[in-house]
Amino acid sequence: MALFVEWFDHALEAGVAEPHAATLATVDRSGIPDARTLILKSLDERGWAVAGSRFSQKAEHLAVQPAAALNFWWQPIMRAVRVRGVVEEASRAESDADLAARSASARAGIEPGEWVVWRIRPVRVEFWQASFDRRHTRIVYTRADGGWSIDNGLVARDGIEDGSGEEQ
C-alpha cells in the first residue's frame, strides 16, 4: 500500500491526468471477462475501494464471482499498477456516505440503497516500471499466510517470460 501511495503521489506531482482512474475487470456468469474505467474512491488497510450502481453489470458480475482486477496506467511516467483480489461490499453507511459526497448531478437518479462501495482485498499487487530499452521492471507482492512476499527480481525483456508464466 505504501508503494502505491508513493507512486500515486508521483503521478499527481508529474501532472498525470486523472491518476485515480483505473480499469476494473470482472467476469460474467459464463466466465467471459469485462472491463470498464472507473475512479478509485479510496485506499486503506481494507483494500482498494471503487463504487457504482447495484444494478450495473459490474455489480451482477461481482455478485456471482466476487473477485476482480484493477489496473492503473500512468502513461506519462511509464508506470502501471495491477491489483488482483477478492471483493467485498462495504457497509450501507459507507456506501451512502460515498454517494452523498458526489456532486448533485452525479447523484441524480440514484435511489437510496442503489449505490455500492466495493473493496478489492488484494492477493497480488504488481508494480511495473517501463524502460525505453524494453528492460521493464516488475515488483510483485503476493499475499501468503497472512503476510506478503515480494519478488523484485523480475526484469522482463520484450517477448521473454519474466518467471510469472506471462510473456511480456
Side-chain angles (χ1 to χ4, degrees):
M1 193 169 71
L3 183 55
F4 180 84
V5 170
E6 181 181 317
W7 278 30
F8 183 86
D9 287 347
H10 181 249
L12 280 172
E13 291 166 8
V16 173
E18 303 291 341
H20 55 288
T23 301
L24 179 75
T26 57
V27 296
D28 67 14
R29 291 182 188 278
S30 302
I32 304 299
D34 196 3
R36 77 282 292 148
T37 302
L38 45 62
I39 300 299
L40 177 69
K41 304 301 275 182
S42 65
L43 169 64
D44 60 27
E45 66 282 348
R46 298 171 295 172
W48 276 256
V50 298
S53 169
R54 184 174 302 284
F55 304 110
S56 65
Q57 282 189 329
K58 73 177 157 282
E60 291 175 25
H61 295 176
L62 293 171
V64 173
Q65 181 62 268
L70 190 62
N71 189 71
F72 296 86
W73 169 231
W74 300 315
Q75 189 276 332
I77 59 173
M78 297 173 50
R79 285 183 169 173
V81 178
R82 294 171 55 196
V83 179
R84 293 174 53 192
V86 296
V87 177
E88 295 177 344
E89 189 172 314
S91 71
R92 170 77 184 264
E94 188 173 359
S95 295
D96 288 349
D98 183 76
L99 178 61
R102 293 170 57 91
S103 68
S105 61
R107 289 191 313 266
I110 300 175
E111 302 293 325
E114 181 181 334
W115 193 252
V116 180
V117 171
W118 293 277
R119 276 205 187 72
I120 302 167
R121 287 186 328 156
V123 295
R124 183 177 193 274
V125 181
E126 175 185 307
F127 295 85
W128 182 78
Q129 176 66 63
S131 174
F132 288 113
D133 67 3
R134 310 273 314 162
R135 293 180 54 86
H136 312 310
T137 302
R138 295 174 192 276
I139 303 171
V140 179
Y141 292 87
T142 306
R143 187 181 300 273
D145 300 324
W148 288 92
S149 64
I150 182 173
D151 185 348
N152 62 358
L154 301 178
V155 178
R157 292 174 193 82
D158 195 22
I160 299 174
E161 285 192 11
D162 65 2
S164 69
E166 297 179 19
E167 186 173 286
Q168 306 311 307

